[in-house]
Amino acid sequence: MTAVSAAPAARATLPAPPAPAPAGSTPSAPLLNGQVIGIAYHAIAAVRDRLLAGSGLTFHQSVALKAVADGLDRDGAVGHLTAKLKIGESAGLVLLDELADAGLVEGARPSLTDRGESAERAFADAVAETAERLYGDLPEADREIAARALAHVTTRANAELDGL
């Protein structure tokens, strides 16, 4: 399986916290912007890549494996990959072929092999455990607000891509 090697990731840091608010006032949080999103993305991606390192899978291959695990047929999986990863159809087909060559998926309507199921389950479990450590103690209302804001940003970014 072809995996993209990456240089060791530098530890991402968040912008400096705001100065303490005067007594009796409400402290302000940093505004959501591209830099805050980018820094969070790179920190999370570095964690994700370390979780994947032992599997031999790239992130894109893990997304393709999950698409097959979710029961998508070849066309559905390729459509999912092009939409979510912003890659071309041919690149999506290559990802599925790489998984087949590695013995992780099989068949014209791809399904996971035992090895593929094991790899997908191990990564999904590791992601769930990590997500709990990263997000688990955040108030649910904050998580909902962040999810809505990021969904809006994603929608707008997709519209920008469609216009380019």
Side-chain angles (χ1 to χ4, degrees), residues 81-155:
L81 295 170
T82 60
K84 299 299 181 188
L85 298 176
K86 310 302 181 217
I87 61 175
E89 185 177 321
S90 61
L93 290 167
V94 166
L95 287 169
L96 293 175
D97 289 343
E98 289 172 352
L99 296 177
D101 292 345
L104 300 173
V105 301
E106 63 188 358
R109 186 189 199 305
S111 62
L112 297 180
T113 63
D114 289 343
R115 204 167 138 232
E117 188 173 331
S118 176
E120 199 282 324
R121 173 60 28 222
F123 182 60
D125 289 348
V127 167
E129 292 168 7
T130 302
E132 182 59 30
R133 286 192 302 276
L134 296 177
Y135 312 120
D137 64 346
L138 296 176
E140 185 174 343
D142 289 352
R143 292 170 66 177
E144 289 172 357
I145 290 167
R148 280 196 305 272
L150 290 172
H152 286 297
V153 170
T154 300
T155 298

Side-chain angles (χ1 to χ4, degrees), residues 39-51:
I39 289 169
Y41 164 78
H42 284 286
I44 293 167
V47 171
R48 175 207 67 213
D49 291 345
R50 288 188 184 151
L51 293 176

